[in-house]
Amino acid sequence: DQQVKQNSPSLSVQEGRISILNCDYTNSMFDYFLWYKKYPAEGPTFLISISSIKDKNEDGRFTVFLNKSAKHLSLHIVPSQPGDSAVYFCAASAQGAQKLVFGQGTRLTINP
Amino acid sequence: KAGVTQTPRYLIKTRGQQVTLSCSPISGHRSVSWYQQTPGQGLQFLFEYFSETQRNKGNFPGRFSGRQFSNSRSEMNVSTLELGDSALYLCASSLPTGGSGNTIYFGEGSWLTVV
């Protein structure tokens, strides 16, 4: 039972354009969502998070949108840069538990 | 401020052996959790410790164990290693504040290969 799903294994975007990564969840108890960026054989790097009491959070080039009714969140990167090429993971936690449930990841490639 | 530190970074073990991995959390962080990443299963939660007590446990066999020390450092142990235990093991730490919204920060990981 995969509670957090990233249905796109890969995404290719031209440099300077917008990258949109999507994530769906099934567990309505999730109330905190995070996005991480990861390179092979390294630990995930925290990018941005959002609480279920909000529907949008921005940090520089990164914006996360949360649609609770659809149980869907998305990460927007504008403008996309070559250094953004990595695997992006969506993760969720419930009620303060220090336990993350991860999606399978989306490999983002930014083309010059 | 130093990040989450894991040792060793890379190690090779033989099937049947045991392994111990170490983690030093970010200074001031009291919750330490462990994750396993494999190509087939993705990132999976192993367990979480807070104030030297295991608070949450993932769906892994009893061969996987851990502990946390009074200074919040943590170790995880895998006994009777199997080939399928080859993975990147990630340690993560967080404050936590007691409610929702605790950002969890990860270390660089320990890459275990079982031969």
Side-chain angles (χ1 to χ4, degrees):
Chain A
D1 176 27
Q2 197 171 349
Q3 300 183 65
V4 178
K5 296 180 183 179
Q6 293 176 257
N7 292 317
S8 299
S10 63
L11 176 67
S12 186
V13 175
Q14 195 170 359
E15 181 180 359
R17 306 295 287 268
I18 182 171
S19 295
I20 301 176
L21 297 100
N22 294 303
C23 178
D24 297 298
Y25 63 96
T26 58
N27 189 341
S28 56
M29 300 300 288
F30 289 147
D31 57 8
Y32 190 57
F33 304 89
L34 308 91
W35 284 94
Y36 289 88
K37 174 182 178 181
K38 190 178 183 303
Y39 296 110
E42 292 185 7
T45 299
F46 170 73
L47 284 175
I48 192 169
S49 61
I50 188 166
S51 164
S52 61
I53 63 173
K54 295 185 174 182
D55 54 18
K56 178 182 175 182
N57 189 27
E58 287 182 84
D59 185 359
R61 295 187 300 115
F62 303 93
T63 303
V64 56
F65 296 91
L66 174 62
N67 182 333
K68 286 192 295 293
S69 60
K71 294 191 175 67
H72 176 83
L73 64 155
S74 60
L75 174 68
H76 292 209
I77 306 174
V78 183
S80 299
Q81 300 174 353
D84 296 330
S85 294
V87 178
Y88 288 76
F89 287 93
C90 166
S93 66
Q95 298 179 320
Q98 302 305 295
K99 170 186 174 181
L100 294 177
V101 179
F102 281 89
Q104 292 297 96
T106 296
R107 181 178 301 278
L108 176 64
T109 302
I110 306 301
N111 302 306
Chain B
K1 194 174 189 180
V4 179
T5 305
Q6 292 187 244
T7 57
R9 286 277 284 133
Y10 303 94
L11 67 166
I12 300 173
K13 290 287 187 178
T14 303
R15 196 169 42 179
Q17 286 185 315
Q18 72 164 8
V19 65
T20 299
L21 308 177
S22 296
C23 174
S24 292
I26 292 172
S27 178
H29 284 194
R30 297 172 62 196
S31 169
V32 175
S33 50
W34 290 87
Y35 293 77
Q36 180 198 63
Q37 185 184 25
T38 59
Q41 298 298 319
L43 277 153
Q44 292 190 294
F45 172 80
L46 279 157
F47 28 66
E48 183 240 348
Y49 288 85
F50 179 81
S51 292
E52 304 176 64
T53 301
Q54 187 182 87
R55 291 200 302 188
N56 284 294
K57 189 177 190 309
N59 190 24
F60 279 82
R63 299 187 296 108
F64 292 81
S65 63
R67 59 177 175 168
Q68 185 181 32
F69 303 96
S70 58
N71 60 1
S72 293
R73 275 189 58 250
S74 177
E75 290 180 347
M76 69 162 282
N77 183 278
V78 187
S79 62
T80 320
L81 284 165
E82 301 176 359
L83 296 179
D85 297 332
S86 295
L88 180 65
Y89 290 89
L90 294 159
C91 175
S93 76
S94 62
L95 277 169
T97 60
S100 295
N102 301 296
T103 299
I104 297 175
Y105 298 92
F106 285 83
E108 292 294 295
S110 293
W111 189 267
L112 170 65
T113 301
V114 182
V115 297

